[in-house]
Amino acid sequence: MSAGRLGSARIAILTIIDEEFAAVASVFNTGQNINGSPYFVELLNASQAYNVVVRMASGRGNHPAGEAIKDYIEDLRPEIFLLVGIAGGIENRDNTTLGDVVVADFVSWSEFQKLDQGKVLPRFIPYDHPSGYLRQTFVDPARMENLWTQRVTIRRPILTAAAPKVIVGHIVAGEKLLGDPTNEYQKGILDHFDNAIAVDMESMGVGRAVFAARRTSSYNPIYLVIRGISDLTNIESNAAQRREWKAYAGHVAAVFAKELTDRIMAVANQTSEPRTSQFQNGIVASGSSRGTIRKRIWRFIELRILRRSP
Amino acid sequence: MSIKDQRSFDLAYSYFSSVPIPTPVFDLHVGWSHSYEDLFRGKHVSVTAIGDLIAGALSTGRLMLCGKGGSGKTTTMHRLGIQALEAGILPLFIDLHRWSAEDDQKWNQLTPEIDRSIDYILHKFSNPNFSSAVLDTLDLGTPRLLLFDGLNELASNVAARIIEAVDAYVRLAVKTSVIVSDRMIRREFRDPHRWKLAVVMPLDTSEMRKYLNTETKTVPRIDMNDVMTTSLLSTPYFLDQVLKTSGDSQTRAAALTMYFSKHVSLTGSELDSTSKAAFRAYEQNTARAFSIDDFRTLAGERATKKLLDAEALIIDDGMAYFDHHLKHDYLASRYLARSGENAWTSSTFNALTFYASSFDALSLALEQITIVETADVFVRHLYDWNPYAAAYAVTDLESGRAASISAEMETVLLAMLAERRWDIVKASARRATDALSLFSPEKADTFLNSKHLEDIFEQLRSVPSSREWFRFWLQLFTRQPGAAIEDDLLQLILDSDSVLGWTVANLLKRSFVTESQQESLRRFLTRSSPTIRWRVVHVLGFFPTEINVKTLLSVLADEQDGWVRYGAVRSLIEMAARTDEQLRKLIVSSLLDFVDKLMDDQKTIEELGRVIFIDPHQAPLDWGIVIAPFIEAIYERAVSLEKRRQWEQIGYRFWTEYLKPQFSSPGR
């Protein structure tokens, strides 16, 4: 890894609001601050090389998110960025419900438009989309195994509801907090991006900063967006939903992010073990109980069978 | 080290070792400051050898090295290049002194991608000549240090964009740091914490004594107790000149006159024609580089040849420039100083200073006006054009020397700047404080530390003077706030004397002005002088009534002069901040109706982006909510990505200052 001004990081996590930061810091145990900086790690070390670093952006919106990523790049040159937090879901889209975790496979930006003779014409700027490699190699297996939920320690607001699930889908990033289902602008956005499953205000900023950083073949950062659904933007009571589900949604997003980082680090740290055993490495890394290991082995076999099916 | 890296280092070594080292080699030091305020006031946390500049730059990636003209910045940058090489850091020297008008045009056409901007500069001005792509192919562990010399040579808006491009580049390019040399002028940074500030210190007396007053040296005896002399010679450039020309000048202008007459051998008339040519070069190019043919036409063949033979003038790729900008500044300022009052206009001041980017030439001009009354007139004209420039010009004269302006004029300048410290627009208040900080503490401290206008009045009343104009001005300036104004006093806003006119304008703002007097002011807007119209719109902003709002909106719609339009929009914002909620909303909604038209007036839009940031202590509670839609409207209408990004940053900054405190935990 090449180093930045304060050291180096393999995985850099960005949160936006206090509650998200608190959730991530708790799950990742990143209580130590790199002095004079907004970065937190599990343990400071003299080599200044860190596996995971966490920070909060200075504010909401794509601009501060992008600025935080650029600061990260200058200070720690991370290889992987994870934007972790909460987002608004959209009811009746892909079975998304409160407390689910959305991982973006595509990010749209809703703001750059041309107003011309009563028409709203889209305009585009270049930015990176979330990493397909990370999604396929780490998100999908974690999602399919679905054992990460055992690490969730916060009580779900509605006990009778199903456990959180991970949904991979399209996120729309804008500059407005969408929370009024009667608002014409919001309705227009949700209609236009009819396959989006969540909305946020930071994903494009991250994508744009990562795109700008891609200057040479020796530095090739990639990112993921991991969002817990705290409310459904097209529901009247979404403000109340948000109050009720915010903590839980932030926590599940942080837990899933932890699952991913453990898997990523396991692969990064493995030496001569064959790739097919990475699930076992993942099992060992997550420190599960014997009963859970049995379940996982059965799940592993099940998946192998599924793969062989036409 | 890879072969590629080795070759790069060889090229850098080849360049830096080819740069002539000025002799004698003065022992230079730098003072470090936490802020521009401290820098201007000469407050340093430490003073160190120049070698520490490299470590400083590497720690945060960016360092601004400030210094007055002739203080040794370029020499320092070259020395840093050598020191960097010795430390295994690859240096590039980027010489911005050669920036020309053509570069301005090409730069403005560049799209805002970082690499294009940086590569334009590197391609044209860097030594060794590397592009950003070449730098990116170096070993990941190889530190790079880019030395940008001469930011002050550029117009303010170009300099601002270069800082932005450099900052953006340093963020993303691996192991890259920059040092930028500049004059003593405040620059805006995206993240001030990432910029270290240092200033090249004047030579101390012991360093000067090493080279002067020794029996073996063929220099005239210098009186080291003479403050004016030691002040001049503490500037490395002038000490060097004195040593080389055996001169005994006490002022910069005298030293440069001696240089041109003795060393270059220009006759009196050749000096005159060269001065004119130098001024025209600034006027036509707004840059240090100019066409040698145009110069030769005005200066004359013989004078030009003498300058070239003396290597005072250098030709490079068809363009010419002086080997030191002070020589060009001196010649151009000499022409302006001798041209008389009729030539002291906004247009000529803009030409001499690259639109208020560099004020060295102004102080040189002032230095050459030896009659006090004439110098006062010069300063009055300067004040009319740019009050801060007047302060810079006056304070840039050597310390200890009685300014060629009268003590009363200096007092007036201090008082009028001090009044601006309470301006509701943060940028204006800060500029006033910066300008006051340049004065010596004995002169400025009282004005800087005053808590109320009455404190300043008290200070002023203790200034002894028999000059009638000063006593009249004092009477005006120290009138009690809130008092009624006589009609004949109102008329003084029309006075051609800028100090009197602006003093009355500011006085009206703190006085009781009747509706009928306001109507008189509104009628003055038909006057032909844009300065008068500017003063009037400045005053109307303090009287929030619907009719004044309508008047200012009409000015915005119909006024031809850019400064008056800017004044109108500023006054509308000021009025919105001071008035009740209802009128505030009316003003902002009216401005919203104007946005489409305003988008064609980039200068006014840019000024708007500054004036909306008002003193939070004076801002009404709903300021954030009321102004935010206006920012959004401009953002949505911005056509280019760069403008959108600029307004995105403004919006974010505005939100942080005025909205975030209200909505500290905004839901999701």
Side-chain angles (χ1 to χ4, degrees):
Chain A
M1 292 190 286
S2 67
R5 290 190 211 285
L6 298 180
S8 61
R10 198 172 290 278
I11 299 172
I13 298 178
L14 181 67
T15 65
I16 306 300
I17 59 173
D18 290 345
E19 292 87 340
E20 292 167 353
F21 179 79
V24 167
S26 169
V27 167
F28 283 82
N29 196 28
T30 45
Q32 297 216 335
N33 173 239
I34 299 178
N35 195 30
S37 82
Y39 308 111
F40 286 80
V41 296
E42 190 176 7
L43 211 61
L44 293 167
N45 64 62
S47 67
Q48 297 178 307
Y50 303 102
N51 287 332
V52 177
V53 180
V54 179
R55 71 162 283 179
M56 202 165 86
S58 59
R60 306 187 55 187
N62 289 289
H63 176 73
E67 292 296 295
I69 296 297
K70 288 179 188 174
D71 283 344
Y72 249 136
I73 291 168
E74 180 173 357
D75 294 333
L76 293 160
R77 287 195 97 75
E79 297 173 6
I80 295 170
F81 292 97
L82 303 180
L83 174 62
V84 180
I86 61 177
I90 304 167
E91 198 187 40
N92 298 325
R93 299 261 180 109
D94 272 17
N95 203 24
T96 313
T97 56
L98 295 168
D100 283 346
V101 175
V102 166
V103 177
D105 61 358
F106 192 92
V107 172
S108 290
W109 187 34
S110 61
E111 296 289 340
F112 200 17
Q113 302 163 346
K114 182 177 173 180
L115 308 176
D116 184 23
Q117 296 172 1
K119 288 186 284 187
V120 177
L121 305 173
R123 287 293 179 269
F124 304 96
I125 57 168
Y127 53 88
D128 268 19
H129 288 285
S131 165
Y133 162 73
L134 289 175
R135 193 161 39 76
Q136 288 157 30
T137 310
F138 301 104
V139 174
D140 286 344
R143 178 172 63 84
M144 288 177 213
E145 283 195 334
N146 206 29
L147 296 170
W148 67 276
T149 55
Q150 293 168 19
R151 302 166 88 166
V152 174
T153 56
I154 286 187
R155 196 183 73 113
R156 195 170 169 83
I158 301 175
L159 289 173
T160 53
K165 58 187 183 299
V166 174
I167 305 174
V168 175
H170 177 192
I171 281 186
V172 175
E175 299 297 340
K176 298 173 185 58
L177 188 58
L178 301 185
D180 180 0
T182 65
N183 179 277
E184 290 305 317
Y185 175 83
Q186 175 171 319
K187 283 197 265 188
I189 291 291
L190 297 185
D191 285 346
H192 182 78
F193 296 101
D194 63 333
N195 71 336
I197 60 172
V199 294
D200 79 5
M201 292 167 64
E202 288 85 23
S203 295
M204 191 284 294
V206 172
R208 190 161 69 168
V210 171
F211 173 78
R214 200 182 309 295
R215 299 175 51 81
T216 68
S217 57
S218 60
Y219 184 56
N220 192 26
I222 49 182
Y223 79 100
L224 283 178
V225 177
I226 303 165
R227 300 288 210 176
I229 300 300
S230 61
D231 59 280
L232 300 172
T233 58
N234 52 343
I235 296 296
E236 284 282 348
S237 56
N238 65 75
Q241 281 179 341
R242 199 179 311 124
R243 280 193 294 275
E244 192 180 6
W245 284 85
K246 191 164 60 171
Y248 181 81
H251 177 72
V252 294
V255 167
F256 189 69
K258 183 71 167 71
E259 177 74 18
L260 293 181
T261 54
D262 286 349
R263 289 170 182 260
I264 292 167
M265 290 313 303
V267 168
N269 292 335
Q270 76 183 17
T271 52
S272 58
E273 289 167 334
R275 265 181 99 69
T276 51
S277 68
Q278 65 180 282
F279 286 138
Q280 286 160 326
N281 285 342
I283 290 165
V284 169
S286 61
S288 306
S289 67
R290 186 181 295 185
T292 310
I293 290 173
R294 197 178 296 128
K295 275 191 204 163
R296 285 184 174 186
I297 290 170
W298 277 114
R299 183 73 184 138
F300 175 73
I301 293 168
E302 192 181 11
L303 284 169
R304 292 291 296 270
I305 294 167
L306 281 172
R307 278 206 202 101
R308 282 197 221 111
S309 304
Chain B
M1 189 182 288
S2 68
I3 294 173
K4 192 179 188 66
D5 274 28
Q6 187 60 59
R7 183 167 145 64
S8 302
F9 272 87
D10 288 345
L11 285 170
Y13 183 77
S14 175
Y15 167 73
F16 281 97
S17 56
S18 71
V19 175
I21 302 171
T23 52
V25 179
F26 298 128
D27 187 18
L28 300 174
H29 288 80
V30 289
W32 299 82
S33 298
H34 283 315
S35 65
Y36 271 114
E37 286 85 359
D38 285 352
L39 196 83
F40 295 150
R41 300 216 73 191
K43 272 197 218 171
H44 307 299
V45 292
S46 62
V47 176
T48 69
I50 63 170
D52 285 5
L53 290 168
I54 295 179
L58 260 50
S59 68
T60 58
R62 308 144 181 83
L63 188 147
M64 189 63 83
L65 178 66
C66 302
K68 297 189 174 186
S71 59
K73 296 186 296 297
T74 300
T75 302
T76 299
M77 297 287 255
H78 281 131
R79 289 191 203 172
L80 290 175
I82 301 282
Q83 290 183 18
L85 283 165
E86 286 164 5
I89 300 166
L90 181 73
L92 258 68
F93 185 81
I94 295 109
D95 186 2
L96 296 174
H97 296 91
R98 296 187 290 117
W99 190 279
S100 68
E102 188 193 338
D103 293 308
D104 269 351
Q105 283 174 17
K106 288 187 177 169
W107 176 264
N108 286 331
Q109 286 162 8
L110 286 174
T111 54
E113 282 98 352
I114 304 159
D115 289 321
R116 276 183 211 244
S117 307
I118 287 295
D119 274 334
Y120 180 85
I121 298 171
L122 293 180
H123 171 70
K124 273 208 82 176
F125 305 109
S126 74
N127 282 294
N129 198 258
F130 291 153
S131 65
S132 62
V134 167
L135 291 172
D136 284 340
T137 59
L138 298 175
D139 289 348
L140 292 181
T142 302
R144 295 91 153 142
L145 180 64
L146 274 53
L147 302 157
F148 288 82
D149 187 37
L151 189 72
N152 51 281
E153 306 296 341
L154 315 177
S156 302
N157 60 331
V158 175
R161 279 187 60 193
I162 287 182
I163 290 175
E164 216 177 291
V166 162
D167 178 73
Y169 177 68
V170 162
R171 286 178 102 178
L172 301 179
V174 69
K175 281 215 174 304
T176 302
S177 306
V178 299
I179 298 178
V180 181
S181 77
D182 195 12
R183 197 68 83 243
M184 300 284 278
I185 186 166
R186 180 188 288 269
R187 301 289 184 187
E188 297 295 334
F189 301 127
R190 173 193 59 84
D191 184 355
H193 295 111
R194 291 192 184 256
W195 283 85
K196 290 227 184 300
L197 294 177
V199 63
V200 183
M201 301 294 289
L203 297 172
D204 61 30
T205 318
S206 60
E207 184 65 18
M208 284 188 264
R209 282 185 198 281
K210 268 193 225 172
Y211 303 99
L212 299 169
N213 292 344
T214 57
E215 288 177 10
T216 58
K217 303 289 180 193
T218 54
V219 294
R221 192 160 179 75
I222 301 292
D223 181 1
M224 296 298 290
N225 294 318
D226 180 70
V227 177
M228 282 171 60
T229 302
T230 51
S231 177
L232 175 71
L233 299 183
S234 67
T235 305
Y237 178 84
F238 290 103
L239 177 57
D240 189 65
Q241 284 295 304
V242 161
L243 293 174
K244 287 186 166 70
T245 62
S246 305
D248 60 353
S249 311
Q250 287 187 315
T251 69
R252 295 173 301 172
L256 286 159
T257 304
M258 181 165 298
Y259 166 80
F260 282 109
S261 52
K262 277 199 173 171
H263 190 70
V264 183
S265 305
L266 292 181
T267 63
S269 64
E270 284 172 344
L271 196 51
D272 287 343
S273 61
T274 305
S275 298
K276 184 175 180 179
F279 178 82
R280 290 281 175 253
Y282 274 170
E283 196 177 40
Q284 281 156 9
N285 297 279
T286 318
R288 305 276 182 204
F290 48 87
S291 153
I292 188 62
D293 294 331
D294 292 345
F295 184 88
R296 189 181 281 118
T297 304
L298 277 176
E301 188 69 50
R302 246 180 28 160
T304 307
K305 186 174 183 312
K306 285 181 184 178
L307 289 163
L308 288 167
D309 289 344
E311 295 181 344
L313 203 55
I314 295 166
I315 298 180
D316 182 13
D317 204 20
M319 296 298 276
Y321 55 94
F322 283 87
D323 73 323
H324 198 288
H325 78 274
L326 276 175
K327 288 174 185 163
H328 197 158
D329 279 349
Y330 160 72
L331 290 169
S333 66
R334 183 179 185 278
Y335 173 76
L336 189 68
R338 287 168 181 240
S339 296
E341 188 179 350
N342 289 338
W344 300 338
T345 64
S346 300
S347 164
T348 56
F349 292 144
N350 279 331
L352 201 62
T353 64
F354 303 164
Y355 292 85
S357 182
S358 174
F359 296 130
D360 277 353
L362 291 179
S363 68
L364 275 170
L366 187 56
E367 205 176 275
Q368 295 173 76
I369 301 170
T370 52
I371 300 171
V372 169
E373 284 72 25
T374 313
D376 278 6
V377 170
F378 184 77
V379 170
R380 284 170 192 273
H381 282 280
L382 270 185
Y383 188 88
D384 215 10
W385 167 68
N386 184 323
Y388 312 105
Y392 278 104
V394 167
T395 59
D396 202 31
L397 297 177
E398 300 88 2
S399 63
R401 178 182 180 206
S404 58
I405 63 171
S406 62
E408 289 90 342
M409 190 68 232
E410 195 172 38
T411 303
V412 166
L413 201 51
L414 283 161
M416 291 180 77
L417 285 169
E419 189 180 11
R420 281 172 178 249
R421 283 178 49 228
W422 292 290
D423 198 296
I424 196 171
V425 175
K426 283 168 60 173
S428 300
R430 193 175 61 183
R431 287 193 80 185
T433 304
D434 285 352
L436 280 171
S437 299
L438 293 172
F439 287 86
S440 65
E442 308 85 68
K443 289 178 182 166
D445 270 356
T446 317
F447 294 99
L448 273 169
N449 297 332
S450 301
K451 297 268 185 293
H452 308 285
L453 203 53
E454 285 74 16
D455 297 338
I456 296 177
F457 292 170
E458 204 178 300
Q459 169 74 9
L460 291 173
R461 288 185 190 115
S462 67
V463 173
S465 173
S466 59
R467 290 177 200 256
E468 199 177 313
W469 73 263
F470 178 75
R471 288 207 301 269
F472 181 63
W473 172 84
L474 187 63
Q475 210 181 344
L476 283 178
F477 189 86
T478 55
R479 283 178 71 115
Q480 277 307 309
I485 290 290
E486 300 81 35
D487 288 347
D488 56 354
L489 192 59
L490 193 83
Q491 298 287 323
L492 289 178
I493 199 174
L494 305 173
D495 206 289
S496 57
D497 180 321
S498 68
V499 166
L500 205 57
W502 281 108
T503 299
V504 168
N506 290 330
L507 172 64
L508 292 174
K509 285 168 69 169
R510 40 181 162 90
S511 301
F512 176 71
V513 176
T514 65
E515 171 48 39
S516 131
Q517 287 173 327
Q518 290 179 42
E519 176 55 31
S520 299
L521 284 172
R522 289 191 289 269
R523 279 201 296 271
F524 293 158
L525 285 172
T526 57
R527 296 290 174 126
S528 60
S529 160
T531 302
I532 287 171
R533 298 199 299 276
W534 190 11
R535 289 177 198 161
V536 172
V537 300
H538 181 66
V539 174
L540 289 179
F542 252 69
F543 300 99
T545 61
E546 276 197 44
I547 188 165
N548 284 336
V549 171
K550 286 194 173 80
T551 303
L552 289 171
L553 289 170
S554 300
V555 169
L556 207 54
D558 304 325
E559 172 64 53
Q560 295 300 309
D561 186 274
W563 284 108
V564 182
R565 278 202 309 278
Y566 156 60
V569 86
R570 189 192 198 282
S571 283
L572 282 163
I573 296 294
E574 202 167 351
M575 199 189 284
R578 294 187 192 279
T579 190
D580 57 57
E581 193 180 329
Q582 197 180 340
L583 192 61
R584 177 159 49 252
K585 285 189 173 149
L586 171 68
I587 291 170
V588 178
S589 68
S590 304
L591 280 172
L592 272 168
D593 292 340
F594 254 98
V595 164
D596 286 324
K597 189 172 158 62
L598 278 178
M599 295 308 291
D600 294 332
D601 184 354
Q602 277 308 304
K603 184 178 167 52
T604 302
I605 286 284
E606 278 171 21
E607 294 298 341
L608 204 68
R610 276 193 280 275
V611 303
I612 54 176
F613 291 94
I614 62 175
D615 179 3
H617 298 110
Q618 298 185 60
L621 284 175
D622 61 349
W623 187 247
I625 294 170
V626 164
I627 295 293
F630 191 59
I631 298 172
E632 195 173 330
I634 297 176
Y635 169 78
E636 284 179 352
R637 283 159 176 77
V639 173
S640 73
L641 263 182
E642 188 195 355
K643 289 291 172 203
R644 274 185 94 86
R645 194 175 46 81
Q646 186 185 351
W647 278 90
E648 188 182 285
Q649 285 174 336
I650 290 172
Y652 175 65
R653 221 185 101 205
F654 189 83
W655 177 79
T656 306
E657 289 198 40
Y658 303 101
L659 286 162
K660 187 176 177 183
Q662 294 178 29
F663 304 108
S664 56
S665 187
R668 187 186 305 135

